[in-house]
Amino acid sequence: MSNIAASMSFNPLFLRHDLMIELGRLEMAIDNARHEAAANDTLGQLESRCARINEALSKLPA
């Protein structure tokens, strides 16, 4: 597992790919949470995580 983490630190393409997948999952979860009245707390958590991932993506080289 540490070898995978080490190789990801040297190849930002893998990290970008994984973050983009996670971002897509979060966006789907946010859409679902917006349709549920009881999901207000969950929506805030998901939006916060989404913002952190977007920030991490913006720091990676294109």
Side-chain angles (χ1 to χ4, degrees):
M1 185 70 164
S2 63
N3 290 341
I4 295 170
S7 67
M8 284 177 50
S9 66
F10 294 114
N11 192 343
L13 182 63
F14 293 129
L15 182 56
R16 176 175 292 280
H17 179 263
D18 290 344
L19 289 174
M20 293 296 291
I21 289 171
E22 181 65 16
L23 188 60
R25 290 178 181 161
L26 283 168
E27 288 173 348
M28 288 189 298
I30 288 170
D31 286 341
N32 287 337
R34 285 186 176 141
H35 290 69
E36 297 178 16
N40 289 335
D41 187 44
T42 302
L43 183 60
Q45 292 173 351
L46 292 171
E47 288 175 337
S48 174
R49 179 153 171 78
C50 192
R52 288 193 312 265
I53 289 176
N54 274 322
E55 182 182 344
L57 281 170
S58 71
K59 293 179 181 178
L60 290 175

